[in-house]
Amino acid sequence: MTPEELRAARDRTVPDVVADGLRVLFCGINPSLTTGATGHHFAHPGNRFWPVLHRSGFTPRLLSPTAQTELLRYGLGITNVVARATARADELSAEEFREGGRILAAKVERLRPEWLAVVGVTAYRTAFGMRTARIGPQDHTVGGARVWALPNPSGLNAHWTTPTMAEEYGRLRAAVEHGDPTTA
């Protein structure tokens, strides 16, 4: 991908991968420029979303970003808190996150997933005014769905390794299968 293609992707939006009644709707912070250029979620080569999703047991094989629509057959989907592509999430304003939270809540209410999994606890805190939220299951719902805050799989997140992220995503998977986050 050329620098010109990446620059042209700034502020693009990428269609959601969604359906009614999903088991889990994964919600990224916002699309990267690579995602904006390719039209595939979590497409940046350093992003660990796809390996973590597989290692945690959500998918039977490692999917590539180009296979994102296969998630639907597993009852999984993808959206974002903020729709526009940027090079880094810190280019987004707090107001964009809050407005994205309002839009996301309406989307979740319409689609009715069992779980909303927000991939990035800081984005979740800002979008929904939950300043003390931590990684894991949350005490409130969004649009009627239970909420789990997950670590951000971006390669820029040095606090979490692929194995430790897969463990946390696996806790969510266990809660989805058992219907109770305390059993995860």
Side-chain angles (χ1 to χ4, degrees):
M1 184 153 318
T2 67
E4 292 79 24
E5 290 171 314
L6 290 175
R7 277 194 295 277
R10 183 171 297 283
D11 297 326
R12 280 190 191 157
T13 59
V14 176
D16 293 337
V17 177
V18 296
D20 289 341
L22 295 168
R23 292 184 316 141
V24 181
L25 178 58
F26 289 95
C27 180
I29 297 170
N30 76 304
S32 69
L33 295 180
T34 304
T35 289
T38 64
H40 302 295
H41 292 274
F42 301 102
H44 190 279
N47 195 294
R48 298 167 288 182
F49 178 79
W50 298 103
V52 166
L53 206 62
H54 174 61
R55 287 178 74 157
S56 65
F58 273 110
T59 60
R61 66 179 181 85
L62 176 60
L63 299 177
S64 69
T66 59
Q68 66 188 12
T69 58
E70 285 186 41
L71 289 176
L72 296 173
R73 74 173 68 160
Y74 307 118
L76 309 173
I78 303 175
T79 190
N80 288 288
V81 175
V82 177
R84 73 181 184 95
T86 62
R88 296 177 51 102
D90 62 8
E91 296 175 38
L92 303 170
S93 70
E95 182 50 39
E96 283 180 284
F97 278 110
R98 287 188 293 271
E99 178 62 18
R102 290 187 285 275
I103 292 167
L104 179 59
K107 185 181 301 185
V108 169
E109 190 170 343
R110 187 180 82 251
L111 294 172
R112 301 176 329 278
E114 293 175 36
W115 286 91
L116 173 65
V118 182
V119 179
V121 71
T122 302
Y124 171 71
R125 288 174 183 150
T126 306
F128 296 103
M130 300 294 180
R131 294 185 309 203
T132 61
R134 302 247 186 270
I135 296 292
Q138 304 302 304
D139 291 334
H140 84 288
T141 61
V142 170
R146 291 174 284 182
V147 179
W148 199 291
L150 290 168
N152 181 350
S154 167
L156 299 175
N157 180 359
H159 298 293
W160 290 79
T161 64
T162 298
T164 59
M165 275 191 278
E167 185 176 314
E168 185 61 31
Y169 282 55
R171 289 182 58 224
L172 168 60
R173 185 188 48 74
V176 170
E177 291 175 1
H178 300 292
D180 180 3
T182 61
T183 63

